[in-house]
PDB file of all heavy atoms in Angstrom:
ATOM      1  N   VAL J 441     -14.825   7.156  -6.145  1.00  0.00           N
ATOM      2  CA  VAL J 441     -15.681   7.862  -5.277  1.00  0.00           C
ATOM      3  C   VAL J 441     -15.169   9.159  -4.868  1.00  0.00           C
ATOM      4  O   VAL J 441     -14.089   9.269  -4.213  1.00  0.00           O
ATOM      5  CB  VAL J 441     -15.964   7.080  -3.998  1.00  0.00           C
ATOM      6  CG1 VAL J 441     -16.869   7.660  -3.058  1.00  0.00           C
ATOM      7  CG2 VAL J 441     -16.452   5.641  -4.367  1.00  0.00           C
ATOM      8  N   GLY J 451     -13.871  33.087  -1.873  1.00  0.00           N
ATOM      9  CA  GLY J 451     -12.678  33.248  -1.279  1.00  0.00           C
ATOM     10  C   GLY J 451     -12.184  32.016  -0.477  1.00  0.00           C
ATOM     11  O   GLY J 451     -11.018  31.993  -0.087  1.00  0.00           O
ATOM     12  N   ARG J 455     -10.799  20.892  -0.530  1.00  0.00           N
ATOM     13  CA  ARG J 455     -10.021  19.794  -1.219  1.00  0.00           C
ATOM     14  C   ARG J 455     -11.032  18.746  -1.456  1.00  0.00           C
ATOM     15  O   ARG J 455     -11.563  18.110  -0.553  1.00  0.00           O
ATOM     16  CB  ARG J 455      -8.896  19.395  -0.194  1.00  0.00           C
ATOM     17  CG  ARG J 455      -7.887  18.478  -0.962  1.00  0.00           C
ATOM     18  CD  ARG J 455      -6.837  18.255  -0.228  1.00  0.00           C
ATOM     19  NE  ARG J 455      -6.987  17.050   0.693  1.00  0.00           N
ATOM     20  CZ  ARG J 455      -6.100  16.225   1.142  1.00  0.00           C
ATOM     21  NH1 ARG J 455      -4.815  16.282   0.706  1.00  0.00           N
ATOM     22  NH2 ARG J 455      -6.412  15.313   1.960  1.00  0.00           N
ATOM     23  N   SER J 490       2.422   9.460 -13.047  1.00  0.00           N
ATOM     24  CA  SER J 490       3.543   9.719 -12.004  1.00  0.00           C
ATOM     25  C   SER J 490       3.169  10.955 -11.201  1.00  0.00           C
ATOM     26  O   SER J 490       3.722  11.150 -10.058  1.00  0.00           O
ATOM     27  CB  SER J 490       4.757   9.734 -12.613  1.00  0.00           C
ATOM     28  OG  SER J 490       4.922  11.020 -13.394  1.00  0.00           O
ATOM     29  N   THR J 494       0.991  18.091 -15.181  1.00  0.00           N
ATOM     30  CA  THR J 494      -0.462  18.451 -14.822  1.00  0.00           C
ATOM     31  C   THR J 494      -0.997  19.415 -15.994  1.00  0.00           C
ATOM     32  O   THR J 494      -0.238  20.006 -16.652  1.00  0.00           O
ATOM     33  CB  THR J 494      -0.625  19.166 -13.599  1.00  0.00           C
ATOM     34  OG1 THR J 494       0.199  20.264 -13.357  1.00  0.00           O
ATOM     35  CG2 THR J 494      -0.198  18.208 -12.375  1.00  0.00           C
ATOM     36  N   ALA J 499      -9.473  28.950 -16.548  1.00  0.00           N
ATOM     37  CA  ALA J 499     -10.222  29.463 -15.413  1.00  0.00           C
ATOM     38  C   ALA J 499      -9.790  29.225 -13.998  1.00  0.00           C
ATOM     39  O   ALA J 499     -10.143  29.995 -13.138  1.00  0.00           O
ATOM     40  CB  ALA J 499     -11.674  29.186 -15.758  1.00  0.00           C
ATOM     41  N   ASN J 510      -0.322   7.882  -5.173  1.00  0.00           N
ATOM     42  CA  ASN J 510      -0.567   6.509  -5.672  1.00  0.00           C
ATOM     43  C   ASN J 510      -0.634   5.484  -4.637  1.00  0.00           C
ATOM     44  O   ASN J 510      -1.238   4.374  -4.797  1.00  0.00           O
ATOM     45  CB  ASN J 510       0.406   6.286  -6.690  1.00  0.00           C
ATOM     46  CG  ASN J 510       0.217   7.060  -7.983  1.00  0.00           C
ATOM     47  OD1 ASN J 510      -0.957   7.518  -8.297  1.00  0.00           O
ATOM     48  ND2 ASN J 510       1.312   7.319  -8.756  1.00  0.00           N
ATOM     49  N   TYR J 530     -18.627  18.262  -9.305  1.00  0.00           N
ATOM     50  CA  TYR J 530     -17.161  17.834  -9.593  1.00  0.00           C
ATOM     51  C   TYR J 530     -17.086  16.355  -9.741  1.00  0.00           C
ATOM     52  O   TYR J 530     -17.455  15.645  -8.903  1.00  0.00           O
ATOM     53  CB  TYR J 530     -16.303  18.482  -8.644  1.00  0.00           C
ATOM     54  CG  TYR J 530     -15.932  19.823  -8.849  1.00  0.00           C
ATOM     55  CD1 TYR J 530     -17.059  20.809  -8.592  1.00  0.00           C
ATOM     56  CD2 TYR J 530     -14.805  20.335  -9.455  1.00  0.00           C
ATOM     57  CE1 TYR J 530     -16.821  22.227  -8.842  1.00  0.00           C
ATOM     58  CE2 TYR J 530     -14.616  21.713  -9.662  1.00  0.00           C
ATOM     59  CZ  TYR J 530     -15.647  22.666  -9.361  1.00  0.00           C
ATOM     60  OH  TYR J 530     -15.469  23.964  -9.501  1.00  0.00           O
ATOM     61  N   THR J 537      -6.110   4.560 -21.183  1.00  0.00           N
ATOM     62  CA  THR J 537      -5.385   4.283 -22.465  1.00  0.00           C
ATOM     63  C   THR J 537      -3.843   4.560 -22.053  1.00  0.00           C
ATOM     64  O   THR J 537      -3.441   5.468 -21.242  1.00  0.00           O
ATOM     65  CB  THR J 537      -5.565   5.254 -23.610  1.00  0.00           C
ATOM     66  OG1 THR J 537      -5.541   6.678 -23.107  1.00  0.00           O
ATOM     67  CG2 THR J 537      -7.088   4.891 -23.949  1.00  0.00           C
ATOM     68  N   THR J 539      -1.082   6.239 -22.674  1.00  0.00           N
ATOM     69  CA  THR J 539      -0.691   7.398 -23.382  1.00  0.00           C
ATOM     70  C   THR J 539      -0.075   8.424 -22.378  1.00  0.00           C
ATOM     71  O   THR J 539      -0.338   8.539 -21.154  1.00  0.00           O
ATOM     72  CB  THR J 539      -1.735   8.160 -24.153  1.00  0.00           C
ATOM     73  OG1 THR J 539      -1.234   9.284 -24.651  1.00  0.00           O
ATOM     74  CG2 THR J 539      -2.928   8.416 -23.328  1.00  0.00           C
ATOM     75  N   GLN J 554     -19.362   9.381  -9.139  1.00  0.00           N
ATOM     76  CA  GLN J 554     -20.810   9.848  -9.112  1.00  0.00           C
ATOM     77  C   GLN J 554     -20.771  11.295  -8.888  1.00  0.00           C
ATOM     78  O   GLN J 554     -21.895  11.902  -9.069  1.00  0.00           O
ATOM     79  CB  GLN J 554     -21.510   9.029  -7.852  1.00  0.00           C
ATOM     80  CG  GLN J 554     -21.236   9.807  -6.559  1.00  0.00           C
ATOM     81  CD  GLN J 554     -19.792   9.585  -5.895  1.00  0.00           C
ATOM     82  OE1 GLN J 554     -19.023   8.838  -6.410  1.00  0.00           O
ATOM     83  NE2 GLN J 554     -19.601  10.438  -4.839  1.00  0.00           N
TER      84      GLN J 554
END
Side-chain angles (χ1 to χ4, degrees):
V441 179
R455 189 177 81 155
S490 67
T494 57
N510 287 336
Y530 282 71
T537 58
T539 175
Q554 82 291 345

